[in-house]
Tab-separated table of all heavy atoms in Angstrom:
chain	number	residue	atom	x	y	z
A	1	ARG	N	-86.317	-58.331	-30.420
A	1	ARG	CA	-86.879	-58.788	-29.149
A	1	ARG	C	-87.452	-57.570	-28.413
A	1	ARG	O	-87.900	-57.766	-27.214
A	1	ARG	CB	-85.846	-59.479	-28.297
A	1	ARG	CG	-85.316	-60.745	-28.888
A	1	ARG	CD	-84.207	-61.258	-28.006
A	1	ARG	NE	-83.657	-62.448	-28.530
A	1	ARG	CZ	-83.170	-63.455	-27.801
A	1	ARG	NH1	-83.188	-63.380	-26.540
A	1	ARG	NH2	-82.629	-64.482	-28.389
A	2	ASN	N	-87.452	-56.430	-28.997
A	2	ASN	CA	-87.920	-55.212	-28.386
A	2	ASN	C	-87.253	-54.859	-27.080
A	2	ASN	O	-87.858	-54.472	-26.069
A	2	ASN	CB	-89.461	-55.268	-28.160
A	2	ASN	CG	-90.132	-53.930	-27.972
A	2	ASN	OD1	-89.633	-52.993	-28.512
A	2	ASN	ND2	-91.225	-53.908	-27.233
A	3	VAL	N	-85.862	-55.055	-27.105
A	3	VAL	CA	-85.077	-54.741	-25.930
A	3	VAL	C	-84.325	-53.421	-26.172
A	3	VAL	O	-83.612	-53.318	-27.165
A	3	VAL	CB	-84.031	-55.846	-25.666
A	3	VAL	CG1	-83.088	-55.472	-24.551
A	3	VAL	CG2	-84.721	-57.198	-25.323
A	4	PRO	N	-84.604	-52.463	-25.327
A	4	PRO	CA	-83.875	-51.144	-25.502
A	4	PRO	C	-82.374	-51.300	-25.232
A	4	PRO	O	-81.998	-52.042	-24.376
A	4	PRO	CB	-84.519	-50.218	-24.555
A	4	PRO	CG	-85.122	-51.102	-23.500
A	4	PRO	CD	-85.400	-52.413	-24.093
A	5	PHE	N	-81.571	-50.472	-25.954
A	5	PHE	CA	-80.151	-50.460	-25.735
A	5	PHE	C	-79.597	-49.128	-25.861
A	5	PHE	O	-80.137	-48.212	-26.498
A	5	PHE	CB	-79.469	-51.495	-26.688
A	5	PHE	CG	-79.641	-51.202	-28.180
A	5	PHE	CD1	-78.787	-50.329	-28.830
A	5	PHE	CD2	-80.669	-51.751	-28.858
A	5	PHE	CE1	-78.975	-50.039	-30.188
A	5	PHE	CE2	-80.852	-51.519	-30.225
A	5	PHE	CZ	-79.926	-50.643	-30.886
A	6	VAL	N	-78.415	-48.990	-25.285
A	6	VAL	CA	-77.615	-47.719	-25.310
A	6	VAL	C	-76.217	-48.078	-25.905
A	6	VAL	O	-75.655	-49.096	-25.493
A	6	VAL	CB	-77.398	-47.123	-23.870
A	6	VAL	CG1	-76.489	-45.919	-23.905
A	6	VAL	CG2	-78.754	-46.806	-23.240
A	7	LEU	N	-75.708	-47.239	-26.760
A	7	LEU	CA	-74.327	-47.350	-27.251
A	7	LEU	C	-73.404	-46.618	-26.292
A	7	LEU	O	-73.698	-45.487	-25.967
A	7	LEU	CB	-74.245	-46.783	-28.648
A	7	LEU	CG	-74.996	-47.418	-29.781
A	7	LEU	CD1	-74.864	-46.723	-31.109
A	7	LEU	CD2	-74.601	-48.883	-29.956
A	8	VAL	N	-72.381	-47.350	-25.868
A	8	VAL	CA	-71.357	-46.768	-24.990
A	8	VAL	C	-70.097	-46.759	-25.810
A	8	VAL	O	-69.547	-47.780	-26.089
A	8	VAL	CB	-71.181	-47.634	-23.688
A	8	VAL	CG1	-70.240	-46.959	-22.812
A	8	VAL	CG2	-72.531	-47.765	-22.996
A	9	THR	N	-69.711	-45.552	-26.207
A	9	THR	CA	-68.574	-45.531	-27.196
A	9	THR	C	-67.774	-44.225	-27.066
A	9	THR	O	-68.305	-43.191	-26.551
A	9	THR	CB	-69.104	-45.690	-28.647
A	9	THR	OG1	-68.049	-45.679	-29.512
A	9	THR	CG2	-70.073	-44.552	-28.988
A	10	GLY	N	-66.611	-44.242	-27.497
A	10	GLY	CA	-65.736	-43.063	-27.639
A	10	GLY	C	-65.860	-42.434	-28.982
A	10	GLY	O	-65.271	-41.435	-29.287
A	11	PHE	N	-66.582	-43.117	-29.915
A	11	PHE	CA	-66.665	-42.679	-31.297
A	11	PHE	C	-68.089	-42.195	-31.614
A	11	PHE	O	-69.041	-42.658	-31.007
A	11	PHE	CB	-66.252	-43.773	-32.216
A	11	PHE	CG	-64.960	-44.433	-32.003
A	11	PHE	CD1	-64.824	-45.581	-31.265
A	11	PHE	CD2	-63.809	-43.775	-32.458
A	11	PHE	CE1	-63.560	-46.052	-30.960
A	11	PHE	CE2	-62.587	-44.260	-32.262
A	11	PHE	CZ	-62.433	-45.462	-31.436
A	12	ALA	N	-68.181	-41.270	-32.551
A	12	ALA	CA	-69.489	-40.774	-32.952
A	12	ALA	C	-69.844	-41.261	-34.349
A	12	ALA	O	-70.803	-40.824	-34.899
A	12	ALA	CB	-69.501	-39.278	-32.904
A	13	ASP	N	-69.083	-42.086	-34.956
A	13	ASP	CA	-69.199	-42.531	-36.319
A	13	ASP	C	-70.185	-43.699	-36.375
A	13	ASP	O	-69.835	-44.846	-36.418
A	13	ASP	CB	-67.865	-42.933	-36.924
A	13	ASP	CG	-67.966	-43.305	-38.374
A	13	ASP	OD1	-68.956	-42.921	-39.047
A	13	ASP	OD2	-67.037	-44.064	-38.847
A	14	VAL	N	-71.490	-43.365	-36.343
A	14	VAL	CA	-72.563	-44.343	-36.441
A	14	VAL	C	-73.199	-44.243	-37.764
A	14	VAL	O	-73.958	-43.384	-38.033
A	14	VAL	CB	-73.572	-44.100	-35.300
A	14	VAL	CG1	-74.632	-45.166	-35.388
A	14	VAL	CG2	-72.878	-44.175	-33.932
A	15	ARG	N	-72.908	-45.201	-38.651
A	15	ARG	CA	-73.464	-45.189	-40.015
A	15	ARG	C	-74.571	-46.186	-40.166
A	15	ARG	O	-75.476	-46.005	-41.029
A	15	ARG	CB	-72.296	-45.580	-41.024
A	15	ARG	CG	-71.167	-44.652	-41.048
A	15	ARG	CD	-70.068	-45.138	-41.981
A	15	ARG	NE	-69.570	-46.525	-41.620
A	15	ARG	CZ	-68.564	-46.707	-40.743
A	15	ARG	NH1	-67.916	-45.692	-40.278
A	15	ARG	NH2	-68.156	-47.923	-40.557
A	16	GLU	N	-74.597	-47.240	-39.455
A	16	GLU	CA	-75.609	-48.292	-39.530
A	16	GLU	C	-76.948	-47.789	-39.135
A	16	GLU	O	-77.181	-47.237	-38.101
A	16	GLU	CB	-75.285	-49.502	-38.655
A	16	GLU	CG	-73.956	-50.110	-39.054
A	16	GLU	CD	-72.759	-49.547	-38.274
A	16	GLU	OE1	-72.856	-48.416	-37.714
A	16	GLU	OE2	-71.752	-50.199	-38.211
A	17	PRO	N	-78.005	-48.051	-39.977
A	17	PRO	CA	-79.370	-47.533	-39.649
A	17	PRO	C	-79.915	-48.197	-38.361
A	17	PRO	O	-80.642	-47.606	-37.663
A	17	PRO	CB	-80.212	-47.963	-40.897
A	17	PRO	CG	-79.328	-48.648	-41.848
A	17	PRO	CD	-77.934	-48.668	-41.309
A	18	GLU	N	-79.440	-49.393	-38.058
A	18	GLU	CA	-79.940	-50.084	-36.863
A	18	GLU	C	-79.435	-49.385	-35.600
A	18	GLU	O	-79.972	-49.616	-34.505
A	18	GLU	CB	-79.438	-51.531	-36.847
A	18	GLU	CG	-79.963	-52.375	-37.942
A	18	GLU	CD	-79.057	-52.278	-39.255
A	18	GLU	OE1	-78.018	-51.580	-39.160
A	18	GLU	OE2	-79.400	-52.912	-40.197
A	19	LEU	N	-78.359	-48.559	-35.749
A	19	LEU	CA	-77.780	-47.929	-34.567
A	19	LEU	C	-77.943	-46.438	-34.548
A	19	LEU	O	-77.694	-45.808	-33.498
A	19	LEU	CB	-76.232	-48.245	-34.569
A	19	LEU	CG	-75.788	-49.751	-34.576
A	19	LEU	CD1	-74.336	-49.890	-34.688
A	19	LEU	CD2	-76.373	-50.413	-33.364
A	20	ARG	N	-78.266	-45.908	-35.665
A	20	ARG	CA	-78.243	-44.421	-35.807
A	20	ARG	C	-78.999	-43.649	-34.759
A	20	ARG	O	-78.563	-42.558	-34.363
A	20	ARG	CB	-78.725	-44.014	-37.209
A	20	ARG	CG	-78.395	-42.616	-37.549
A	20	ARG	CD	-78.636	-42.216	-38.964
A	20	ARG	NE	-77.659	-42.944	-39.800
A	20	ARG	CZ	-78.008	-43.603	-40.903
A	20	ARG	NH1	-79.256	-43.539	-41.372
A	20	ARG	NH2	-77.103	-44.219	-41.628
A	21	PHE	N	-80.165	-44.173	-34.368
A	21	PHE	CA	-80.983	-43.380	-33.397
A	21	PHE	C	-80.917	-43.893	-31.977
A	21	PHE	O	-81.760	-43.468	-31.155
A	21	PHE	CB	-82.451	-43.307	-33.953
A	21	PHE	CG	-82.539	-42.639	-35.270
A	21	PHE	CD1	-82.731	-43.377	-36.411
A	21	PHE	CD2	-82.326	-41.255	-35.380
A	21	PHE	CE1	-82.749	-42.790	-37.689
A	21	PHE	CE2	-82.399	-40.631	-36.586
A	21	PHE	CZ	-82.579	-41.403	-37.757
A	22	ALA	N	-79.972	-44.750	-31.703
A	22	ALA	CA	-79.861	-45.284	-30.338
A	22	ALA	C	-79.299	-44.188	-29.384
A	22	ALA	O	-78.504	-43.395	-29.815
A	22	ALA	CB	-78.908	-46.506	-30.344
A	23	PRO	N	-79.725	-44.202	-28.165
A	23	PRO	CA	-79.109	-43.272	-27.197
A	23	PRO	C	-77.618	-43.620	-27.038
A	23	PRO	O	-77.247	-44.777	-27.258
A	23	PRO	CB	-79.846	-43.586	-25.900
A	23	PRO	CG	-81.080	-44.398	-26.267
A	23	PRO	CD	-80.743	-45.041	-27.554
A	24	MET	N	-76.799	-42.654	-26.748
A	24	MET	CA	-75.377	-42.828	-26.710
A	24	MET	C	-74.771	-42.249	-25.399
A	24	MET	O	-75.162	-41.095	-25.017
A	24	MET	CB	-74.811	-42.169	-27.900
A	24	MET	CG	-73.370	-42.538	-28.138
A	24	MET	SD	-72.609	-41.816	-29.642
A	24	MET	CE	-73.567	-42.624	-30.886
A	25	LEU	N	-73.892	-42.990	-24.798
A	25	LEU	CA	-73.144	-42.488	-23.696
A	25	LEU	C	-71.631	-42.476	-24.219
A	25	LEU	O	-71.210	-43.451	-24.845
A	25	LEU	CB	-73.172	-43.471	-22.482
A	25	LEU	CG	-74.429	-43.424	-21.646
A	25	LEU	CD1	-74.411	-44.553	-20.640
A	25	LEU	CD2	-74.547	-42.099	-20.911
A	26	ARG	N	-70.979	-41.358	-23.919
A	26	ARG	CA	-69.620	-41.216	-24.351
A	26	ARG	C	-68.642	-41.846	-23.307
A	26	ARG	O	-68.844	-41.661	-22.126
A	26	ARG	CB	-69.249	-39.740	-24.498
A	26	ARG	CG	-70.008	-39.098	-25.626
A	26	ARG	CD	-69.234	-39.285	-26.880
A	26	ARG	NE	-69.888	-38.505	-27.939
A	26	ARG	CZ	-69.926	-38.910	-29.123
A	26	ARG	NH1	-69.429	-40.074	-29.456
A	26	ARG	NH2	-70.460	-38.142	-30.018
A	27	LYS	N	-67.629	-42.543	-23.843
A	27	LYS	CA	-66.575	-43.041	-22.982
A	27	LYS	C	-65.599	-41.917	-22.785
A	27	LYS	O	-65.406	-41.138	-23.658
A	27	LYS	CB	-65.834	-44.189	-23.606
A	27	LYS	CG	-66.603	-45.491	-23.584
A	27	LYS	CD	-65.708	-46.540	-24.212
A	27	LYS	CE	-66.424	-47.856	-24.357
A	27	LYS	NZ	-65.529	-48.782	-25.055
A	28	PRO	N	-65.000	-41.843	-21.627
A	28	PRO	CA	-65.200	-42.679	-20.450
A	28	PRO	C	-66.505	-42.285	-19.749
A	28	PRO	O	-66.786	-41.082	-19.610
A	28	PRO	CB	-63.958	-42.428	-19.606
A	28	PRO	CG	-63.544	-41.002	-19.966
A	28	PRO	CD	-63.875	-40.849	-21.399
A	29	VAL	N	-67.191	-43.256	-19.264
A	29	VAL	CA	-68.376	-43.070	-18.517
A	29	VAL	C	-68.007	-42.724	-17.036
A	29	VAL	O	-67.482	-43.631	-16.405
A	29	VAL	CB	-69.325	-44.253	-18.541
A	29	VAL	CG1	-70.598	-44.005	-17.701
A	29	VAL	CG2	-69.742	-44.559	-19.996
A	30	SER	N	-68.287	-41.561	-16.667
A	30	SER	CA	-67.754	-41.171	-15.331
A	30	SER	C	-68.970	-40.771	-14.367
A	30	SER	O	-68.711	-40.585	-13.184
A	30	SER	CB	-66.814	-39.992	-15.361
A	30	SER	OG	-67.454	-38.887	-16.071
A	31	ASP	N	-70.150	-40.674	-14.867
A	31	ASP	CA	-71.293	-40.208	-14.064
A	31	ASP	C	-72.266	-41.456	-13.930
A	31	ASP	O	-73.050	-41.750	-14.812
A	31	ASP	CB	-71.941	-39.076	-14.764
A	31	ASP	CG	-73.143	-38.527	-13.977
A	31	ASP	OD1	-73.451	-39.081	-12.938
A	31	ASP	OD2	-73.760	-37.523	-14.432
A	32	ASP	N	-72.200	-42.083	-12.733
A	32	ASP	CA	-73.092	-43.207	-12.426
A	32	ASP	C	-74.562	-42.779	-12.581
A	32	ASP	O	-75.414	-43.504	-13.058
A	32	ASP	CB	-72.889	-43.723	-11.026
A	32	ASP	CG	-71.528	-44.483	-10.850
A	32	ASP	OD1	-70.742	-44.438	-11.776
A	32	ASP	OD2	-71.416	-45.076	-9.781
A	33	GLY	N	-74.838	-41.581	-12.181
A	33	GLY	CA	-76.224	-41.032	-12.223
A	33	GLY	C	-76.710	-40.948	-13.655
A	33	GLY	O	-77.900	-41.258	-13.936
A	34	GLU	N	-75.861	-40.589	-14.575
A	34	GLU	CA	-76.295	-40.511	-15.987
A	34	GLU	C	-76.750	-41.834	-16.519
A	34	GLU	O	-77.731	-41.977	-17.187
A	34	GLU	CB	-75.155	-39.918	-16.744
A	34	GLU	CG	-75.483	-39.755	-18.239
A	34	GLU	CD	-74.324	-39.228	-19.109
A	34	GLU	OE1	-73.177	-39.182	-18.571
A	34	GLU	OE2	-74.572	-38.850	-20.218
A	35	VAL	N	-75.940	-42.847	-16.193
A	35	VAL	CA	-76.276	-44.216	-16.625
A	35	VAL	C	-77.569	-44.645	-15.987
A	35	VAL	O	-78.472	-45.181	-16.695
A	35	VAL	CB	-75.134	-45.232	-16.298
A	35	VAL	CG1	-75.545	-46.678	-16.664
A	35	VAL	CG2	-73.898	-44.826	-17.045
A	36	ARG	N	-77.749	-44.446	-14.712
A	36	ARG	CA	-78.989	-44.827	-14.010
A	36	ARG	C	-80.203	-44.126	-14.652
A	36	ARG	O	-81.257	-44.734	-14.866
A	36	ARG	CB	-78.849	-44.572	-12.529
A	36	ARG	CG	-78.174	-45.652	-11.782
A	36	ARG	CD	-78.343	-45.426	-10.247
A	36	ARG	NE	-77.651	-44.184	-9.754
A	36	ARG	CZ	-76.346	-44.207	-9.370
A	36	ARG	NH1	-75.694	-45.303	-9.404
A	36	ARG	NH2	-75.864	-43.125	-8.910
A	37	ARG	N	-80.122	-42.833	-14.836
A	37	ARG	CA	-81.196	-42.035	-15.382
A	37	ARG	C	-81.580	-42.543	-16.784
A	37	ARG	O	-82.741	-42.680	-17.115
A	37	ARG	CB	-80.878	-40.592	-15.368
A	37	ARG	CG	-80.909	-39.876	-14.021
A	37	ARG	CD	-80.733	-38.379	-14.171
A	37	ARG	NE	-79.482	-37.958	-14.717
A	37	ARG	CZ	-78.354	-37.838	-14.013
A	37	ARG	NH1	-78.398	-38.104	-12.701
A	37	ARG	NH2	-77.236	-37.497	-14.566
A	38	LEU	N	-80.551	-42.829	-17.619
A	38	LEU	CA	-80.797	-43.305	-18.965
A	38	LEU	C	-81.497	-44.575	-18.908
A	38	LEU	O	-82.475	-44.808	-19.645
A	38	LEU	CB	-79.487	-43.305	-19.706
A	38	LEU	CG	-79.542	-43.618	-21.193
A	38	LEU	CD1	-80.566	-42.676	-21.929
A	38	LEU	CD2	-78.234	-43.555	-21.829
A	39	LEU	N	-81.024	-45.532	-18.076
A	39	LEU	CA	-81.699	-46.846	-18.026
A	39	LEU	C	-83.101	-46.724	-17.490
A	39	LEU	O	-84.005	-47.372	-18.002
A	39	LEU	CB	-80.875	-47.804	-17.129
A	39	LEU	CG	-79.622	-48.403	-17.774
A	39	LEU	CD1	-78.826	-49.121	-16.773
A	39	LEU	CD2	-79.950	-49.349	-18.940
A	40	GLU	N	-83.299	-45.955	-16.490
A	40	GLU	CA	-84.676	-45.780	-15.914
A	40	GLU	C	-85.611	-45.168	-16.996
A	40	GLU	O	-86.707	-45.669	-17.102
A	40	GLU	CB	-84.623	-44.844	-14.714
A	40	GLU	CG	-84.018	-45.561	-13.503
A	40	GLU	CD	-83.742	-44.590	-12.295
A	40	GLU	OE1	-84.203	-43.442	-12.393
A	40	GLU	OE2	-83.084	-45.053	-11.366
A	41	ALA	N	-85.108	-44.210	-17.770
A	41	ALA	CA	-85.931	-43.669	-18.787
A	41	ALA	C	-86.256	-44.641	-19.904
A	41	ALA	O	-87.428	-44.733	-20.404
A	41	ALA	CB	-85.255	-42.442	-19.419
A	42	MET	N	-85.278	-45.454	-20.247
A	42	MET	CA	-85.534	-46.507	-21.259
A	42	MET	C	-86.472	-47.592	-20.782
A	42	MET	O	-87.284	-48.074	-21.538
A	42	MET	CB	-84.187	-47.221	-21.628
A	42	MET	CG	-83.294	-46.371	-22.481
A	42	MET	SD	-81.650	-47.078	-22.857
A	42	MET	CE	-81.918	-48.851	-22.674
A	43	LEU	N	-86.370	-47.938	-19.495
A	43	LEU	CA	-87.225	-49.053	-19.031
A	43	LEU	C	-88.519	-48.590	-18.485
A	43	LEU	O	-89.455	-49.506	-18.312
A	43	LEU	CB	-86.397	-49.718	-17.869
A	43	LEU	CG	-85.213	-50.474	-18.273
A	43	LEU	CD1	-84.396	-50.931	-17.111
A	43	LEU	CD2	-85.610	-51.658	-19.224
A	44	SER	N	-88.788	-47.346	-18.272
A	44	SER	CA	-90.106	-46.898	-17.734
A	44	SER	C	-91.250	-47.275	-18.588
A	44	SER	O	-92.311	-47.652	-18.026
A	44	SER	CB	-90.068	-45.415	-17.443
A	44	SER	OG	-89.954	-44.683	-18.606
A	45	PRO	N	-91.172	-47.240	-19.926
A	45	PRO	CA	-92.336	-47.646	-20.734
A	45	PRO	C	-92.710	-49.128	-20.577
A	45	PRO	O	-93.788	-49.557	-20.887
A	45	PRO	CB	-91.910	-47.374	-22.173
A	45	PRO	CG	-90.823	-46.374	-22.102
A	45	PRO	CD	-90.131	-46.722	-20.797
């Protein structure tokens, strides 16, 4: 559907090709600004 996504995970083991190049946020997510900036960058196009 051409919907951008971010992986939010505590693990770095991404083997699946569908997920390999997705942006990633590490848990625990403690920086609200980081999430906002990432979403704004993803949605700006």
Side-chain angles (χ1 to χ4, degrees):
R1 296 175 182 214
N2 201 29
V3 174
F5 61 87
V6 175
L7 295 176
V8 182
T9 184
F11 304 98
D13 184 22
V14 179
R15 298 176 303 269
E16 300 88 343
E18 299 86 2
L19 304 175
R20 191 168 296 136
F21 298 107
M24 190 178 295
L25 284 172
R26 293 275 187 214
K27 285 183 186 178
V29 177
S30 58
D31 183 357
D32 289 10
E34 181 181 13
V35 175
R36 278 192 291 271
R37 284 188 298 276
L38 187 54
L39 283 171
E40 287 170 10
M42 286 176 24
L43 291 170
S44 65

